[in-house]
Amino acid sequence: MVIGEAVGDIGVIGLAVMGQNLILNMNDHGFTVVAFNRTVSKVDEFLQNEAKGTKVIGAHSIEELAAKLKKPRRIMLMVKAGSAVDDFINLLLPHLEKGDIIIDGGNSEYLDSRRRTKDLESKGFLFVGSGVSGGEEGARHGPSLMPGGSAAAWPAIKDIFQGIAAKVGNEPCCDWVGEDGAGHFVKMVHNGIEYGDMQLIAEAYHIMRDVVGMTNDEMSEALAKWNKGFLDSFLIEITSDILKYKDEKGQHLVDKIRDAAGQKGTGKWTTMAALEYGIPVTLIGEAVFARCLSSLKDERVNASKQLKRPSPKFTGDRQKFIEQISYALYASKIISYAQGFMLFREAAKQLNWKLNNGGIALMWRGGCIIRSAFLGDIKKAFDKNPDLSNLLLDDFFKKAISDAQDGWRQVVSTAVLNGIPVPAMSSALSFYDGFASATLPANLIQAQRDYFGAHTYELMDAPGKFVHTNWTGRGGTTSSSTYSA
Ligand code: 2AM
């Protein structure tokens, strides 16, 4: 039985809103898409409604989908992350040939993409795990796409991916990220950075509202101004809009929203990866915990009646301080991205990836929630020096932090003195001071570890040589490493 002519450029499985929008985007760019869904009735519904008048072709079985695709087949899964992806891979394989490409564009965990790449490559197929960012709007009109996995698949999907991705100037916000789970790892860190950026803006808002005493409209104007300078970004822009938004009663809606933040887990995953690889991604961690603390609303209300904190009062130069807040936000943001790229470097080392750092900055430059002019500067830093060991050591960022530093310290200390929590801004500053210190008090920690647990320490003048001291004269001279040897 002939069930279809092989005219399809790409198959997409999963007709929820992200899948549908990606298909329509691909269609707009001249690609012939074959659409399939587990609940098959949704295929015809889609063709008769959203996809009416397009070149999109429906498939009513996996067999029909495979038959309608040009070879090597390119099939993109836009289904729920987890077992649905493995189920579809298993259903697809009997209908595919060696060299065919399965792409997972869902929100999969990077270790799953790592496993799937290895598994499919061992069977002669190619696998791509791609981060897709920008929500429904992005998927329809230009997402940020972060593909990783089997490098041999890239030439075969590049035109479609770069064709449908967001553009900044002429440059697509999509490039090859790296091996196996690298695409989904980069997407995960993107989401973590989004948590950090949002927390920083929330802290700036908190200080402006409660210390400086600004109205929502004043804050909206301040952010609109910031959005024309070094803080130019999607999140600053929408926050300016949010602050001036009035409900049907003519009152500011933001004041009526319960201050308990939700989360879906990607910030937590980034923080867990940071702990796993031993990299101090402190700002994102603090952003996740700040959401956790906010969600303990009832406990906070109760504690606020019993625990003392200073009442904020502001006495300085208002305009100058508002400008300093923008510097504190900017410097902290630089720290957050520097920490994110430190995590990339270590994960790449441990997982044997060769990551495209400049490409990552460009992928985030447009199409996604963290898009900003600032990412253009990060791209430039990596273009200048692809082996840059740390963003903070790039000349542009060195100067930026140096220029912002006084304001940053002023804002953090003012917030602390006024009882305003600034976990992201202050942890960023502590990270900076730690990173920029040749000497830290870890000598004392090593001594303590050796004192109570015989964990040994190195002397300054003999790094690499671990010794133990019998600190008390009791307990002997055997070190713990000797016990475990
Ligand atoms: P459905 O329309 O048949 O529910 C987003 O939920 C997309 O993932 C939808 O296309 C949905 O298909 C699909 N999906 C969710 N869970 C699935 C599963 N366990 N197996 C296959 N597809 C699944």
Side-chain angles (χ1 to χ4, degrees):
M1 185 180 70
V2 179
I3 53 175
E5 225 186 317
V7 293
D9 293 309
I10 185 165
V12 175
I13 298 180
L15 293 178
V17 66
M18 286 296 282
Q20 290 195 6
N21 282 352
L22 271 186
I23 292 172
L24 296 174
N25 185 354
M26 289 170 181
N27 178 78
D28 285 350
H29 286 87
F31 300 104
T32 304
V33 189
V34 185
F36 180 68
N37 193 64
R38 174 182 64 171
T39 308
V40 178
S41 58
K42 287 194 191 163
V43 174
D44 290 324
E45 267 170 46
F46 176 55
L47 292 179
Q48 284 153 21
N49 295 289
E50 294 86 352
K52 198 170 179 168
T54 67
K55 287 195 306 176
V56 178
I57 300 169
H60 301 83
S61 66
I62 298 262
E63 196 185 5
E64 189 185 351
L65 171 73
K68 285 184 168 166
L69 290 173
K70 293 179 199 162
K71 296 174 192 174
R73 295 181 182 86
R74 294 168 286 200
I75 298 174
M76 186 157 183
L77 299 172
M78 292 301 297
V79 300
K80 202 164 161 229
S83 59
V85 175
D86 290 310
D87 291 349
F88 263 120
I89 291 174
N90 290 332
L91 288 173
L92 280 166
L93 290 189
H95 302 280
L96 301 186
E97 289 160 65
K98 296 214 153 67
D100 285 350
I101 302 161
I102 296 179
I103 305 156
D104 172 18
N107 258 329
S108 294
E109 293 187 36
Y110 75 98
L111 290 174
D112 282 338
S113 297
R114 187 170 167 79
R115 168 179 59 77
R116 287 170 186 142
T117 307
K118 296 213 156 79
D119 185 42
L120 286 174
E121 284 182 353
S122 75
K123 294 174 180 153
F125 303 101
L126 300 175
F127 180 79
V128 175
S130 181
V132 177
S133 185
E136 297 166 20
E137 182 70 17
R140 181 67 187 87
H141 299 292
S144 157
L145 294 172
M146 299 155 247
S150 311
W154 180 230
I157 63 167
K158 187 175 172 182
D159 286 352
I160 301 180
F161 267 54
Q162 294 196 333
I164 65 168
K167 308 283 179 314
V168 173
N170 286 325
E171 292 206 85
C173 296
C174 170
D175 201 351
W176 187 248
V177 177
E179 295 82 350
D180 56 78
H184 275 125
F185 188 84
V186 167
K187 170 63 171 40
M188 174 188 78
V189 175
H190 161 280
N191 285 32
I193 285 186
E194 184 181 311
Y195 274 59
D197 282 359
M198 290 166 72
Q199 175 64 24
L200 287 172
I201 297 173
E203 290 177 12
Y205 159 71
H206 200 173
I207 300 166
M208 287 192 283
R209 188 188 68 184
D210 290 3
V211 180
V212 190
M214 291 166 76
T215 64
N216 286 318
D217 290 329
E218 284 172 334
M219 288 188 278
S220 172
E221 269 174 43
L223 265 68
K225 199 170 139 210
W226 293 356
N227 198 40
K228 296 197 178 91
F230 49 78
L231 288 173
D232 174 355
S233 63
F234 173 70
L235 280 168
I236 293 282
E237 180 191 327
I238 66 161
T239 308
S240 174
D241 281 351
I242 288 167
L243 287 167
K244 65 175 185 229
Y245 185 89
K246 293 195 177 128
D247 64 12
E248 61 286 352
K249 291 191 180 141
Q251 295 162 336
H252 286 100
L253 180 58
V254 69
D255 294 334
K256 300 183 178 180
I257 296 176
R258 192 166 183 264
D259 52 329
Q263 50 184 317
K264 285 198 174 160
T266 40
K268 179 178 82 179
W269 291 354
T270 308
T271 305
M272 285 163 64
L275 291 169
E276 177 69 28
Y277 298 116
I279 298 298
V281 186
T282 55
L283 193 142
I284 296 175
E286 289 293 352
V288 173
F289 286 129
R291 288 197 194 187
C292 298
L293 181 59
S294 80
S295 72
L296 303 176
K297 172 78 175 170
D298 295 340
E299 278 186 61
R300 289 190 290 111
V301 169
N302 177 44
S304 72
K305 293 174 189 147
Q306 303 180 48
L307 303 178
K308 253 184 79 174
R309 48 189 272 271
S311 322
K313 59 172 182 294
F314 183 71
T315 49
D317 175 339
R318 223 166 166 250
Q319 274 321 313
K320 183 168 174 220
F321 189 62
I322 294 166
E323 196 186 345
Q324 287 177 323
I325 296 172
S326 72
Y327 279 114
L329 210 168
Y330 184 51
S332 305
K333 185 168 160 150
I334 294 172
I335 297 297
S336 181
Y337 286 66
Q339 292 180 339
F341 278 90
M342 285 169 75
L343 178 58
F344 287 149
R345 192 184 59 177
E346 187 59 25
K349 197 163 113 196
Q350 294 197 30
L351 300 176
N352 271 323
W353 293 341
K354 202 167 171 342
L355 289 183
N356 173 2
N357 287 317
I360 293 168
L362 182 64
M363 282 174 253
W364 294 348
R365 174 74 186 79
C368 59
I369 305 295
I370 63 170
R371 62 184 180 260
S372 66
F374 166 74
L375 280 157
D377 298 321
I378 298 183
K379 168 84 166 68
K380 275 188 218 148
F382 284 114
D383 281 349
K384 240 186 323 170
N385 178 6
D387 298 320
L388 183 66
S389 69
N390 195 299
L391 214 48
L392 295 173
L393 301 181
D394 168 74
D395 286 343
F396 175 87
F397 288 107
K398 248 193 258 179
K399 179 168 186 318
I401 287 264
S402 160
D403 293 348
Q405 198 168 145
D406 286 348
W408 189 15
R409 291 185 191 279
Q410 198 62 45
V411 169
V412 169
S413 51
T414 303
V416 170
L417 291 171
N418 281 282
I420 303 296
V422 282
M425 285 184 186
S426 62
S427 68
L429 186 51
S430 288
F431 171 88
Y432 177 79
D433 285 333
F435 188 67
S437 294
T439 308
L440 286 173
N443 51 330
L444 185 62
I445 288 173
Q446 285 299 79
Q448 291 164 335
R449 292 177 67 239
D450 190 54
Y451 184 111
F452 66 68
H455 293 298
T456 73
Y457 57 86
E458 300 155 283
L459 286 167
M460 287 281 199
D461 54 10
K465 183 166 176 269
F466 287 84
V467 293
H468 169 61
T469 291
N470 181 353
W471 296 87
T472 58
R474 290 173 274 117
T477 53
T478 317
S479 69
S480 69
S481 57
T482 318
Y483 291 128
S484 56

mmCIF file of all heavy atoms in Angstrom, residues 447-481:
data_model
loop_
_atom_site.group_PDB
_atom_site.id
_atom_site.type_symbol
_atom_site.label_atom_id
_atom_site.label_comp_id
_atom_site.label_asym_id
_atom_site.label_seq_id
_atom_site.Cartn_x
_atom_site.Cartn_y
_atom_site.Cartn_z
ATOM 1 N N ALA A 447 42.361 23.765 58.841
ATOM 2 C CA ALA A 447 42.885 23.451 60.171
ATOM 3 C C ALA A 447 41.799 22.791 61.018
ATOM 4 O O ALA A 447 42.037 21.781 61.692
ATOM 5 C CB ALA A 447 43.392 24.728 60.846
ATOM 6 N N GLN A 448 40.592 23.340 60.963
ATOM 7 C CA GLN A 448 39.478 22.756 61.729
ATOM 8 C C GLN A 448 39.206 21.320 61.287
ATOM 9 O O GLN A 448 39.015 20.416 62.099
ATOM 10 C CB GLN A 448 38.207 23.600 61.535
ATOM 11 C CG GLN A 448 38.275 24.971 62.195
ATOM 12 C CD GLN A 448 37.199 25.915 61.659
ATOM 13 O OE1 GLN A 448 36.724 25.758 60.539
ATOM 14 N NE2 GLN A 448 36.836 26.896 62.457
ATOM 15 N N ARG A 449 39.206 21.105 59.957
ATOM 16 C CA ARG A 449 38.927 19.756 59.437
ATOM 17 C C ARG A 449 39.996 18.776 59.915
ATOM 18 O O ARG A 449 39.714 17.632 60.236
ATOM 19 C CB ARG A 449 38.876 19.784 57.896
ATOM 20 C CG ARG A 449 37.689 20.561 57.336
ATOM 21 C CD ARG A 449 37.720 20.619 55.807
ATOM 22 N NE ARG A 449 37.504 19.312 55.224
ATOM 23 C CZ ARG A 449 38.350 18.685 54.414
ATOM 24 N NH1 ARG A 449 39.504 19.255 54.097
ATOM 25 N NH2 ARG A 449 38.064 17.497 53.927
ATOM 26 N N ASP A 450 41.205 19.269 59.918
ATOM 27 C CA ASP A 450 42.283 18.379 60.338
ATOM 28 C C ASP A 450 42.223 18.132 61.844
ATOM 29 O O ASP A 450 42.482 17.024 62.317
ATOM 30 C CB ASP A 450 43.640 18.984 59.952
ATOM 31 C CG ASP A 450 44.762 17.967 60.142
ATOM 32 O OD1 ASP A 450 44.642 16.862 59.570
ATOM 33 O OD2 ASP A 450 45.721 18.261 60.873
ATOM 34 N N TYR A 451 41.819 19.171 62.594
ATOM 35 C CA TYR A 451 41.753 19.069 64.067
ATOM 36 C C TYR A 451 40.736 17.999 64.464
ATOM 37 O O TYR A 451 41.031 17.088 65.226
ATOM 38 C CB TYR A 451 41.367 20.447 64.623
ATOM 39 C CG TYR A 451 41.358 20.547 66.137
ATOM 40 C CD1 TYR A 451 42.311 21.317 66.810
ATOM 41 C CD2 TYR A 451 40.382 19.894 66.892
ATOM 42 C CE1 TYR A 451 42.299 21.421 68.197
ATOM 43 C CE2 TYR A 451 40.356 19.995 68.276
ATOM 44 C CZ TYR A 451 41.313 20.761 68.925
ATOM 45 O OH TYR A 451 41.301 20.861 70.285
ATOM 46 N N PHE A 452 39.493 18.131 63.913
ATOM 47 C CA PHE A 452 38.467 17.205 64.415
ATOM 48 C C PHE A 452 38.357 15.914 63.618
ATOM 49 O O PHE A 452 37.824 14.937 64.106
ATOM 50 C CB PHE A 452 37.094 17.897 64.528
ATOM 51 C CG PHE A 452 36.471 18.314 63.226
ATOM 52 C CD1 PHE A 452 36.026 17.377 62.290
ATOM 53 C CD2 PHE A 452 36.285 19.668 62.929
ATOM 54 C CE1 PHE A 452 35.436 17.776 61.105
ATOM 55 C CE2 PHE A 452 35.703 20.064 61.739
ATOM 56 C CZ PHE A 452 35.285 19.117 60.824
ATOM 57 N N GLY A 453 38.855 15.922 62.392
ATOM 58 C CA GLY A 453 38.646 14.723 61.583
ATOM 59 C C GLY A 453 39.899 14.183 60.929
ATOM 60 O O GLY A 453 39.810 13.264 60.114
ATOM 61 N N ALA A 454 41.046 14.762 61.254
ATOM 62 C CA ALA A 454 42.316 14.309 60.668
ATOM 63 C C ALA A 454 42.233 14.260 59.141
ATOM 64 O O ALA A 454 42.665 13.303 58.503
ATOM 65 C CB ALA A 454 42.709 12.939 61.234
ATOM 66 N N HIS A 455 41.600 15.330 58.559
ATOM 67 C CA HIS A 455 41.394 15.337 57.100
ATOM 68 C C HIS A 455 42.620 15.815 56.324
ATOM 69 O O HIS A 455 42.581 15.834 55.105
ATOM 70 C CB HIS A 455 40.171 16.195 56.748
ATOM 71 C CG HIS A 455 38.893 15.601 57.245
ATOM 72 N ND1 HIS A 455 38.438 14.369 56.818
ATOM 73 C CD2 HIS A 455 37.973 16.043 58.135
ATOM 74 C CE1 HIS A 455 37.293 14.090 57.428
ATOM 75 N NE2 HIS A 455 36.992 15.085 58.238
ATOM 76 N N THR A 456 43.641 16.229 57.012
ATOM 77 C CA THR A 456 44.902 16.727 56.436
ATOM 78 C C THR A 456 44.755 18.092 55.758
ATOM 79 O O THR A 456 43.646 18.521 55.456
ATOM 80 C CB THR A 456 45.564 15.744 55.431
ATOM 81 O OG1 THR A 456 44.811 15.730 54.233
ATOM 82 C CG2 THR A 456 45.714 14.356 56.007
ATOM 83 N N TYR A 457 45.883 18.737 55.548
ATOM 84 C CA TYR A 457 45.916 20.049 54.889
ATOM 85 C C TYR A 457 47.230 20.154 54.122
ATOM 86 O O TYR A 457 48.147 19.345 54.329
ATOM 87 C CB TYR A 457 45.818 21.186 55.933
ATOM 88 C CG TYR A 457 46.894 21.126 56.983
ATOM 89 C CD1 TYR A 457 48.136 21.719 56.769
ATOM 90 C CD2 TYR A 457 46.676 20.426 58.172
ATOM 91 C CE1 TYR A 457 49.145 21.606 57.719
ATOM 92 C CE2 TYR A 457 47.685 20.317 59.121
ATOM 93 C CZ TYR A 457 48.923 20.906 58.882
ATOM 94 O OH TYR A 457 49.925 20.796 59.807
ATOM 95 N N GLU A 458 47.279 21.157 53.218
ATOM 96 C CA GLU A 458 48.534 21.433 52.492
ATOM 97 C C GLU A 458 49.159 22.690 53.100
ATOM 98 O O GLU A 458 48.422 23.595 53.505
ATOM 99 C CB GLU A 458 48.270 21.742 51.016
ATOM 100 C CG GLU A 458 47.597 20.661 50.228
ATOM 101 C CD GLU A 458 46.864 21.276 49.031
ATOM 102 O OE1 GLU A 458 45.778 21.854 49.217
ATOM 103 O OE2 GLU A 458 47.399 21.179 47.920
ATOM 104 N N LEU A 459 50.471 22.756 53.132
ATOM 105 C CA LEU A 459 51.125 23.995 53.546
ATOM 106 C C LEU A 459 51.262 24.903 52.320
ATOM 107 O O LEU A 459 51.371 24.419 51.198
ATOM 108 C CB LEU A 459 52.502 23.688 54.156
ATOM 109 C CG LEU A 459 52.423 23.076 55.569
ATOM 110 C CD1 LEU A 459 53.789 22.514 55.983
ATOM 111 C CD2 LEU A 459 51.946 24.120 56.580
ATOM 112 N N MET A 460 51.236 26.223 52.581
ATOM 113 C CA MET A 460 51.368 27.220 51.502
ATOM 114 C C MET A 460 52.533 26.898 50.570
ATOM 115 O O MET A 460 52.415 27.015 49.358
ATOM 116 C CB MET A 460 51.667 28.605 52.098
ATOM 117 C CG MET A 460 50.500 29.239 52.755
ATOM 118 S SD MET A 460 49.409 29.964 51.554
ATOM 119 C CE MET A 460 48.514 31.064 52.637
ATOM 120 N N ASP A 461 53.664 26.551 51.193
ATOM 121 C CA ASP A 461 54.855 26.380 50.358
ATOM 122 C C ASP A 461 55.001 24.955 49.821
ATOM 123 O O ASP A 461 56.009 24.629 49.206
ATOM 124 C CB ASP A 461 56.117 26.832 51.116
ATOM 125 C CG ASP A 461 56.242 26.138 52.465
ATOM 126 O OD1 ASP A 461 55.464 25.183 52.702
ATOM 127 O OD2 ASP A 461 57.099 26.549 53.269
ATOM 128 N N ALA A 462 53.991 24.084 50.075
ATOM 129 C CA ALA A 462 54.082 22.726 49.518
ATOM 130 C C ALA A 462 52.716 22.240 49.034
ATOM 131 O O ALA A 462 52.169 21.266 49.553
ATOM 132 C CB ALA A 462 54.645 21.768 50.567
ATOM 133 N N PRO A 463 52.121 22.949 48.048
ATOM 134 C CA PRO A 463 50.796 22.529 47.579
ATOM 135 C C PRO A 463 50.851 21.112 47.007
ATOM 136 O O PRO A 463 51.845 20.740 46.375
ATOM 137 C CB PRO A 463 50.426 23.552 46.507
ATOM 138 C CG PRO A 463 51.638 24.331 46.216
ATOM 139 C CD PRO A 463 52.635 24.112 47.315
ATOM 140 N N GLY A 464 49.815 20.346 47.240
ATOM 141 C CA GLY A 464 49.775 18.982 46.714
ATOM 142 C C GLY A 464 50.278 17.959 47.716
ATOM 143 O O GLY A 464 50.021 16.769 47.576
ATOM 144 N N LYS A 465 50.967 18.444 48.750
ATOM 145 C CA LYS A 465 51.493 17.510 49.759
ATOM 146 C C LYS A 465 50.615 17.638 51.014
ATOM 147 O O LYS A 465 50.585 18.673 51.668
ATOM 148 C CB LYS A 465 52.947 17.884 50.088
ATOM 149 C CG LYS A 465 53.610 16.937 51.059
ATOM 150 C CD LYS A 465 55.127 17.167 51.078
ATOM 151 C CE LYS A 465 55.796 16.286 52.123
ATOM 152 N NZ LYS A 465 55.923 16.931 53.433
ATOM 153 N N PHE A 466 49.845 16.589 51.309
ATOM 154 C CA PHE A 466 48.886 16.653 52.415
ATOM 155 C C PHE A 466 49.503 16.095 53.693
ATOM 156 O O PHE A 466 50.043 14.989 53.694
ATOM 157 C CB PHE A 466 47.611 15.891 52.037
ATOM 158 C CG PHE A 466 46.791 16.642 51.036
ATOM 159 C CD1 PHE A 466 47.058 16.551 49.667
ATOM 160 C CD2 PHE A 466 45.771 17.492 51.448
ATOM 161 C CE1 PHE A 466 46.318 17.276 48.742
ATOM 162 C CE2 PHE A 466 45.029 18.221 50.539
ATOM 163 C CZ PHE A 466 45.302 18.109 49.175
ATOM 164 N N VAL A 467 49.409 16.906 54.748
ATOM 165 C CA VAL A 467 49.993 16.490 56.020
ATOM 166 C C VAL A 467 48.957 16.613 57.138
ATOM 167 O O VAL A 467 47.936 17.280 56.993
ATOM 168 C CB VAL A 467 51.236 17.350 56.377
ATOM 169 C CG1 VAL A 467 52.352 17.089 55.393
ATOM 170 C CG2 VAL A 467 50.871 18.834 56.392
ATOM 171 N N HIS A 468 49.235 15.943 58.235
ATOM 172 C CA HIS A 468 48.334 15.970 59.391
ATOM 173 C C HIS A 468 49.119 16.413 60.614
ATOM 174 O O HIS A 468 50.295 16.076 60.779
ATOM 175 C CB HIS A 468 47.753 14.564 59.606
ATOM 176 C CG HIS A 468 47.025 14.408 60.911
ATOM 177 N ND1 HIS A 468 45.922 15.148 61.248
ATOM 178 C CD2 HIS A 468 47.259 13.581 61.969
ATOM 179 C CE1 HIS A 468 45.499 14.790 62.454
ATOM 180 N NE2 HIS A 468 46.301 13.835 62.917
ATOM 181 N N THR A 469 48.455 17.180 61.494
ATOM 182 C CA THR A 469 49.073 17.584 62.757
ATOM 183 C C THR A 469 48.268 16.990 63.915
ATOM 184 O O THR A 469 47.041 16.953 63.852
ATOM 185 C CB THR A 469 49.077 19.133 62.869
ATOM 186 O OG1 THR A 469 50.005 19.637 61.900
ATOM 187 C CG2 THR A 469 49.475 19.610 64.256
ATOM 188 N N ASN A 470 48.959 16.551 64.924
ATOM 189 C CA ASN A 470 48.292 16.116 66.148
ATOM 190 C C ASN A 470 48.081 17.356 67.003
ATOM 191 O O ASN A 470 48.944 17.753 67.786
ATOM 192 C CB ASN A 470 49.176 15.080 66.851
ATOM 193 C CG ASN A 470 48.518 14.564 68.116
ATOM 194 O OD1 ASN A 470 47.463 15.068 68.536
ATOM 195 N ND2 ASN A 470 49.137 13.567 68.722
ATOM 196 N N TRP A 471 46.930 18.032 66.809
ATOM 197 C CA TRP A 471 46.682 19.360 67.375
ATOM 198 C C TRP A 471 46.594 19.348 68.905
ATOM 199 O O TRP A 471 46.925 20.346 69.548
ATOM 200 C CB TRP A 471 45.365 19.928 66.813
ATOM 201 C CG TRP A 471 45.395 20.174 65.340
ATOM 202 C CD1 TRP A 471 45.109 19.280 64.361
ATOM 203 C CD2 TRP A 471 45.745 21.388 64.677
ATOM 204 N NE1 TRP A 471 45.258 19.855 63.113
ATOM 205 C CE2 TRP A 471 45.639 21.164 63.283
ATOM 206 C CE3 TRP A 471 46.142 22.660 65.120
ATOM 207 C CZ2 TRP A 471 45.927 22.142 62.333
ATOM 208 C CZ3 TRP A 471 46.410 23.642 64.166
ATOM 209 C CH2 TRP A 471 46.302 23.372 62.781
ATOM 210 N N THR A 472 46.131 18.262 69.485
ATOM 211 C CA THR A 472 45.855 18.267 70.922
ATOM 212 C C THR A 472 46.878 17.476 71.719
ATOM 213 O O THR A 472 46.849 17.486 72.943
ATOM 214 C CB THR A 472 44.485 17.621 71.196
ATOM 215 O OG1 THR A 472 44.524 16.289 70.659
ATOM 216 C CG2 THR A 472 43.366 18.388 70.544
ATOM 217 N N GLY A 473 47.725 16.762 71.020
ATOM 218 C CA GLY A 473 48.648 15.885 71.740
ATOM 219 C C GLY A 473 47.974 14.569 72.066
ATOM 220 O O GLY A 473 48.617 13.620 72.491
ATOM 221 N N ARG A 474 46.644 14.514 71.889
ATOM 222 C CA ARG A 474 45.922 13.240 72.066
ATOM 223 C C ARG A 474 45.505 12.753 70.679
ATOM 224 O O ARG A 474 45.559 13.485 69.708
ATOM 225 C CB ARG A 474 44.655 13.470 72.897
ATOM 226 C CG ARG A 474 44.935 13.783 74.361
ATOM 227 C CD ARG A 474 43.657 14.177 75.099
ATOM 228 N NE ARG A 474 43.349 15.599 74.985
ATOM 229 C CZ ARG A 474 42.259 16.099 74.405
ATOM 230 N NH1 ARG A 474 41.368 15.305 73.865
ATOM 231 N NH2 ARG A 474 42.065 17.413 74.341
ATOM 232 N N GLY A 475 45.048 11.590 70.503
ATOM 233 C CA GLY A 475 44.426 11.135 69.257
ATOM 234 C C GLY A 475 45.397 10.630 68.215
ATOM 235 O O GLY A 475 44.973 10.178 67.168
ATOM 236 N N GLY A 476 46.675 10.720 68.471
ATOM 237 C CA GLY A 476 47.629 10.101 67.548
ATOM 238 C C GLY A 476 47.904 10.940 66.317
ATOM 239 O O GLY A 476 47.400 12.060 66.169
ATOM 240 N N THR A 477 48.693 10.433 65.415
ATOM 241 C CA THR A 477 49.130 11.190 64.245
ATOM 242 C C THR A 477 48.585 10.606 62.952
ATOM 243 O O THR A 477 48.993 10.991 61.867
ATOM 244 C CB THR A 477 50.666 11.193 64.165
ATOM 245 O OG1 THR A 477 51.100 9.851 64.238
ATOM 246 C CG2 THR A 477 51.297 12.014 65.270
ATOM 247 N N THR A 478 47.637 9.660 63.062
ATOM 248 C CA THR A 478 47.125 9.019 61.848
ATOM 249 C C THR A 478 46.072 9.913 61.199
ATOM 250 O O THR A 478 45.142 10.350 61.856
ATOM 251 C CB THR A 478 46.473 7.670 62.187
ATOM 252 O OG1 THR A 478 47.310 7.017 63.115
ATOM 253 C CG2 THR A 478 46.277 6.835 60.946
ATOM 254 N N SER A 479 46.228 10.186 59.911
ATOM 255 C CA SER A 479 45.254 11.037 59.233
ATOM 256 C C SER A 479 44.116 10.189 58.690
ATOM 257 O O SER A 479 44.247 8.981 58.525
ATOM 258 C CB SER A 479 45.927 11.788 58.088
ATOM 259 O OG SER A 479 46.258 10.881 57.075
ATOM 260 N N SER A 480 42.974 10.866 58.378
ATOM 261 C CA SER A 480 41.803 10.106 57.927
ATOM 262 C C SER A 480 42.063 9.468 56.576
ATOM 263 O O SER A 480 41.494 8.440 56.248
ATOM 264 C CB SER A 480 40.575 10.996 57.870
ATOM 265 O OG SER A 480 40.708 11.929 56.845
ATOM 266 N N SER A 481 42.927 10.107 55.772
ATOM 267 C CA SER A 481 43.195 9.491 54.464
ATOM 268 C C SER A 481 43.960 8.171 54.655
ATOM 269 O O SER A 481 43.829 7.262 53.847
ATOM 270 C CB SER A 481 43.972 10.442 53.568
ATOM 271 O OG SER A 481 45.158 10.817 54.209
#
